[in-house]
Amino acid sequence: MGNCAVVGVNWGDEGKGRMVDLIAEDYDVVVRFQGGGNAGHTVVNEKGSFALHLLPSGIFRKGVVNVLGNGVALDPENLWLEIQALRDKGIDITPKNLRISDRAPLLMPWHRRLDELEEERLADKKYGSTKQGIAAFYSDKYQKKTVLAGELFYPDELRCHLKDISEWKNLILTEVYGAEAYTEEMLEKWISDFCEPVKPFICDTGAFLREAAAEGKRVLFEAQLGALRDLDYGICPYTTSSNTLARYAPIGAGAPTVVPDEVIGVVKAYSTCVGEGPFVSELFGEEGEKLRAEGREYGAKTGRPRRVGALDLVATRYGAEVQDASVIAVTKLDVLSCMETIPVCVRYRVNGAETESFPFPALLAGAEPVIERVKGWGCDISGARKWEDLPEAARSYVDMIEKAAGRLVRYISVGPERDSIIIREA
Ligand code: GDP
């Protein structure tokens, strides 16, 4: 067993946090390599129920070192609030079990503000952003107009750098959006309130990861969101602003030579999607409501009701492929126990022709689902711990996912608790 990446095959919220929490005990290091605090992993374990936004899901495991890599959108404000909230619930977070890359760019207060302003400007054409400033942050990262976390150790240089960037940013805020400018005092306060407290966690995580790998320690890479939200391979423009794919993990983690040997692609037993954009297998009416309530599909960060849909085999096939998943974890199978027959999207109809291939993003809005209904199992499966414990119909359902994804389904999750899992060997 070597290093592993846990990544989403669908639109996100597949239950990656639950899978990381399950297997983290076999790893020495858990790394978040992309994304920001805009989404949430929900983890339920013996310590309670937690919504994690930026912190890696290994934070609950003793002896595990958690890393926020250079690929993340490091929001000191939200991170500090999250650390404090977890500490209040008795979780130990120290520079020993949390390390932040000195190369991680900082999400600035104006990023969140710009996100709000742009969504307001877009009005009914908005992207459905969580307004956490992620898109504004990544745009600035690629324009090289951000501050790296490690710059906090060089206050004089940092002040000059901030002055230059804020001059430019204030022009956009005031001239383009007619909003208020950020003053030096506001930025000083932000530094002392939120950056100073997280400073003790900042270090050269690349060196740490290389050393850990040389000592034979095992690294688990944890992604945010899923394949269909990947900036390059997702449903453009309704993607996130970073790469959610396993292949990006070593780059965003901070040590390109430390690579995953295995990729666990997480597939939810039905579909959900947060925010705007095409969602071909979406379910409406009573069936959708029932699934949403049964699966508790409300955003961990925003509390927004998630859009729900039938399992989408077209998107799942594509997602497993672009993630280059080695094995699949199917989550939330228990939720489908409430349905007598289960709708499954087996193909798309695009411009009058049926296809199993995931279409170019511009064609998605006009794509229609080809739905087939499969037999439900009509009983509670949350107590199943072995493959044989599952009813025949539930096994067929998993087999169908395995066939579409073209990969072994090794894990089947039948509840949010850590031990509500079936592990199948090849
Ligand atoms: P992530 O961002 O991919 O980690 O996913 P989220 O945490 O946003 O969403 C997954 C939700 O489903 C969480 O509330 C989990 O506790 C819950 N969950 C995960 N696996 C299962 C499962 O097998 N059954 C049920 N009923 N809930 C699950």
Side-chain angles (χ1 to χ4, degrees), residues 12-18 39-44 225 268 294-297 300 306 330-335 413-416 420:
D13 305 317
E14 297 94 344
K16 296 176 292 296
R18 180 254 186 284
H41 293 314
T42 307
V43 174
V44 183
L225 292 164
K268 197 186 288 198
E294 202 68 27
R296 304 197 180 162
E297 296 298 349
R306 293 175 183 152
V330 173
T331 57
K332 302 193 103 166
L333 191 64
D334 54 304
V335 172
S413 173
V414 290
S420 302

Side-chain angles (χ1 to χ4, degrees), residues 399-426:
D399 284 342
M400 182 179 64
I401 297 174
E402 185 165 282
K403 195 156 167 258
R407 276 111 178 132
L408 171 82
V409 173
R410 186 194 287 158
Y411 303 93
I412 301 147
S413 173
V414 290
E417 305 79 15
R418 198 179 269 173
D419 67 342
S420 302
I421 194 92
I422 296 168
I423 304 178
R424 269 201 315 167
E425 293 311 324

Side-chain angles (χ1 to χ4, degrees), residues 242-397:
S242 61
N243 292 101
T244 59
L245 300 188
R247 292 283 180 186
Y248 180 73
I251 310 281
T257 49
V258 182
V259 299
D261 302 292
E262 176 168 80
V263 176
I264 300 176
V266 187
V267 175
K268 197 186 288 198
Y270 52 93
S271 301
T272 58
C273 166
V274 176
E276 312 296 318
F279 183 30
V280 178
S281 70
E282 186 160 12
L283 292 173
F284 301 96
E286 223 176 278
E287 196 162 41
E289 287 297 335
K290 192 169 163 188
L291 199 50
R292 181 177 304 114
E294 202 68 27
R296 304 197 180 162
E297 296 298 349
Y298 304 92
K301 177 82 193 176
T302 57
R304 304 192 269 194
R306 293 175 183 152
R307 296 158 75 192
V308 296
L311 170 70
D312 183 336
L313 295 181
V314 180
T316 297
R317 185 179 296 110
Y318 176 75
E321 172 71 26
V322 293
Q323 287 291 15
D324 197 13
S326 334
V327 293
I328 298 291
V330 173
T331 57
K332 302 193 103 166
L333 191 64
D334 54 304
V335 172
L336 294 177
S337 302
C338 69
M339 300 177 103
E340 235 167 83
T341 63
I342 307 168
V344 177
C345 173
V346 291
R347 288 179 295 282
Y348 288 178
R349 198 172 297 108
V350 180
N351 291 334
E354 289 191 9
T355 177
E356 288 191 343
S357 302
F358 196 71
F360 183 73
L363 297 176
L364 278 171
E368 292 166 44
V370 178
I371 299 281
E372 283 177 9
R373 299 195 77 91
V374 301
K375 220 170 93 201
W377 38 93
C379 63
D380 179 11
I381 57 166
S382 59
R385 295 293 176 269
K386 296 195 299 291
W387 177 243
E388 298 74 37
D389 295 343
L390 287 176
E392 176 64 34
R395 281 189 264 161
S396 306
Y397 195 82

Side-chain angles (χ1 to χ4, degrees), residues 1-3 26-29 208-219 258 261:
M1 280 203 299
N3 302 326
D26 296 331
Y27 294 85
D28 306 288
V29 183
F208 166 73
L209 285 169
R210 284 191 298 275
E211 237 168 73
E215 288 168 10
K217 298 210 166 118
R218 302 180 62 206
V219 180
V258 182
D261 302 292

Side-chain angles (χ1 to χ4, degrees), residues 130-146:
T130 51
K131 301 192 186 143
Q132 294 299 308
I134 306 298
F137 162 86
Y138 278 108
S139 314
D140 283 1
K141 171 175 173 170
Y142 286 96
Q143 289 199 69
K144 297 152 293 184
K145 294 205 192 282
T146 49

Side-chain angles (χ1 to χ4, degrees), residues 147-279:
V147 172
L148 301 184
E151 289 182 59
L152 292 169
F153 293 109
Y154 309 100
D156 293 341
E157 287 84 352
L158 172 67
R159 283 200 173 87
C160 288
H161 195 181
L162 273 179
K163 189 166 179 291
D164 290 346
I165 300 180
S166 57
E167 264 171 28
W168 167 75
K169 209 66 214 192
N170 280 337
L171 270 180
I172 298 170
L173 280 159
T174 56
E175 304 286 321
V176 176
Y177 292 103
E180 227 184 291
Y182 281 82
T183 61
E184 232 172 278
E185 291 70 40
M186 287 159 98
L187 294 175
E188 288 288 347
K189 185 163 167 31
W190 172 74
I191 291 177
S192 65
D193 287 355
F194 303 114
C195 299
E196 289 296 333
V198 301
K199 209 163 131 185
F201 300 97
I202 299 169
C203 61
D204 181 351
T205 55
F208 166 73
L209 285 169
R210 284 191 298 275
E211 237 168 73
E215 288 168 10
K217 298 210 166 118
R218 302 180 62 206
V219 180
L220 180 58
F221 300 93
E222 176 181 26
Q224 183 214 20
L225 292 164
L228 297 160
R229 299 288 189 195
D230 181 84
L231 179 62
D232 289 271
Y233 295 87
I235 52 171
C236 180
Y238 300 99
T239 63
T240 194
S241 304
S242 61
N243 292 101
T244 59
L245 300 188
R247 292 283 180 186
Y248 180 73
I251 310 281
T257 49
V258 182
V259 299
D261 302 292
E262 176 168 80
V263 176
I264 300 176
V266 187
V267 175
K268 197 186 288 198
Y270 52 93
S271 301
T272 58
C273 166
V274 176
E276 312 296 318
F279 183 30

